[in-house]
Each structure stands twice: as structure tokens, then as C-alpha cells.
Amino acid sequence: MDAARLYAAVAAGGFRRYATYRAATAAGVFTNTVFGLILVYTYLALWEERPHLGGYDQAQAVTFVWLGQALYATLAIQGGGFETELMERIRTGDVAIDLYRPADLQLWWLANDLGRALFQLLGRGVIPFAFGVLFFPTALPDDPMTWLAFLVALALAMIVSFAIRFLVALSGFWLLDGTGALQAMMVTGIFCSGMALPLNAFPGPLGEVVRALPWAAQLQMPADVLMGQTDALPAFAFQAVWAVALMAAGRLLQGAATRRVVVQGG
């Protein structure tokens, strides 16, 4: 119970921390709405030429766009979560303080990131999504159970997102500069998550590969669960397998990093 209260407090702290950045949140809402408009009209033109591309009709394609804009910051698909701060703490040696805390390093940052993600969903994601639903035809379910399944898929997506970024952040124990790793994560996140184009629309072997990668668990799976393109249980299983595998990999890499005791600058 003490550990649960600790991590709940860390999550609440992460939520409150991002809630203080009101100007940045407002700017993010505006940016996501504008990019959503650009993508919607691009998708409408594309789906006009290629009806039912990837198994979506136009309303589903529009829904995918606005869901992506709602989850862009929530899932930190291009970064912007804890990973930059953790890499800086590794570089300066402040991570040694983190390792002395009466808390697990991985779980501490997971709780912190879940708090951040929840705020980004409510503070930055809801308004662009509501705007899209209000002004464009969308394909949203009426069944409350479908929405509940979507929330489960979203929670699993948050864990997968964290686990990917935690692995990238831990590379700071071996790299002098983590900029390259962060940039590679940004590009991969956009391409492989479906943020640029639904993964269902990728052709042939390329589509099969990207749909099997962990990034598919972030946006593609929750979107398909919400729009009824896939059954919930197989989607949950796909996400859970990647969440467990990546969290376990992070645990192993954390152990190797702390045993090596290589802290840049300290």
C-alpha cells in the first residue's frame, strides 16, 4: 500500500506539473487543431481518389486524423515526455540521486509519465477531437462498451509508449549525447505509429511489418478498437505482449546500466 501511494503521488505530481504550463497547453491545442485540419483535407482528397483505402471509409479516415491529434501529445509520439529529462539527469550524474530513492527507477518514471499523459489527454487532446467531431463527419460508436474497450487500449498504449521511450532514455548511460537516439525515436514514432498514415494503408510486406511492430500498439490499435475495425481482445493481447516485452527489456537494460555505473559528467 505504501508503494502504491508513493507512485500515485508521483503520477499526481506529473499531472500537476504539466497543468502549470497553461500557455504551452493552449498553443498545443491550437497547433493540433490546425494540423488536424491540414491532415483532414489531405485525407479527404486521398480517400476521394482511393475509396476504402486501408479498409476505412472517409468518416473513419477523418476519425483517425482527429484521434491522432488527440493522442499526439498524450502518447508523446515524437517525444516530449520524461525521456529528455532522464537523459539529462544521466548526463549530469543526477540520476545517482534517483537510484538512491526508496522507489524503483522504472516505476517512478512510469508513474510520472502516466500523470503527464493523462493531463495531455484532457488538457490538449479533448478540444481538437471535439472540434473534429463537431465540424466533420466521423465514425464514432454508440456502444458504451466500445468506448470502455478503447480506454483499455489507450491505457495499454500509454505503457507501450513509455516503455519505448524508457529504453531510448537509458541509452544515455552509454552515449555521450542522446540527441541522435531521440531524433531516431521521433522519426520512427511518426512513421510506424500511423500518425502520418494509417498502418492499414501500408501495402504488402511493409504493411505487415509495421503492423507487427510495437508502435502499432500506440495509435493504430486504439483507433481500430474505437471504430470496430478489430476485436478488442486480440488488440489487447497484441498491446499487452509488447508492453510486457518492452518493460522487461527496460528492466534488463536498467540493471545493466546501474551495474556499469557509467554516469556521464559525474
Side-chain angles (χ1 to χ4, degrees):
M1 290 297 296
D2 290 340
R5 285 196 294 268
L6 170 63
Y7 294 123
V10 173
F15 186 99
R16 289 194 301 270
R17 175 182 178 185
Y18 280 84
T20 61
Y21 301 136
R22 297 177 184 175
T25 300
V29 169
F30 176 78
T31 301
N32 285 129
T33 304
V34 170
F35 272 99
L37 287 169
I38 294 171
L39 283 174
V40 158
Y41 285 111
T42 302
Y43 274 35
L44 288 174
L46 178 59
W47 259 258
E48 187 70 29
E49 293 295 321
R50 296 284 305 276
H52 299 288
L53 178 64
Y56 290 163
D57 58 26
Q58 279 194 338
Q60 289 173 318
V62 168
T63 304
F64 191 92
V65 168
W66 291 112
L67 188 61
Q69 293 307 304
L71 299 184
Y72 174 79
T74 302
L75 300 177
I77 289 175
Q78 268 196 299
F82 73 96
E83 60 280 357
T84 303
E85 180 181 356
L86 178 53
M87 292 185 95
E88 178 63 15
R89 292 182 70 82
I90 292 171
R91 188 189 68 81
T92 61
D94 289 342
V95 71
I97 300 173
D98 300 339
L99 295 173
Y100 276 109
R101 288 187 183 128
D104 178 75
L105 182 70
Q106 187 185 47
L107 294 181
W108 174 281
W109 287 104
L110 173 61
N112 179 276
D113 196 60
L114 290 177
R116 176 207 61 80
L118 181 59
F119 172 77
Q120 295 289 25
L121 176 64
L122 299 176
R124 182 168 169 174
V126 170
I127 293 177
F129 187 75
F131 175 88
V133 171
L134 183 61
F135 290 102
F136 294 91
T138 52
L140 296 179
D142 297 324
D143 183 7
M145 295 304 296
T146 302
W147 283 99
L148 179 60
F150 165 72
L151 292 177
V152 173
L154 179 56
L156 289 168
M158 290 178 182
I159 297 173
V160 172
S161 171
F162 164 81
I164 292 172
R165 289 177 289 120
F166 187 70
L167 287 169
V168 172
L170 289 183
S171 69
F173 278 99
W174 287 270
L175 301 176
L176 291 175
D177 186 350
T179 303
L182 291 172
Q183 289 178 342
M185 182 192 71
M186 291 168 59
V187 173
T188 306
I190 286 291
F191 183 78
C192 294
S193 69
M195 181 61 68
L197 188 70
L199 302 183
N200 296 342
F202 282 48
L206 175 61
E208 294 177 7
V209 169
V210 294
R211 287 191 293 272
L213 294 175
W215 291 273
Q218 292 181 283
L219 174 58
Q220 190 68 52
M221 286 295 105
D224 281 346
V225 167
L226 183 65
M227 294 187 290
Q229 289 293 102
T230 186
D231 291 334
L233 291 181
F236 296 163
F238 176 83
Q239 292 178 294
V241 166
W242 273 119
V244 171
L246 292 170
M247 290 293 286
R251 175 71 56 184
L252 291 173
L253 191 60
Q254 175 183 315
T258 52
R259 284 194 301 272
R260 192 165 185 255
V261 197
V262 175
V263 181
Q264 302 296 343

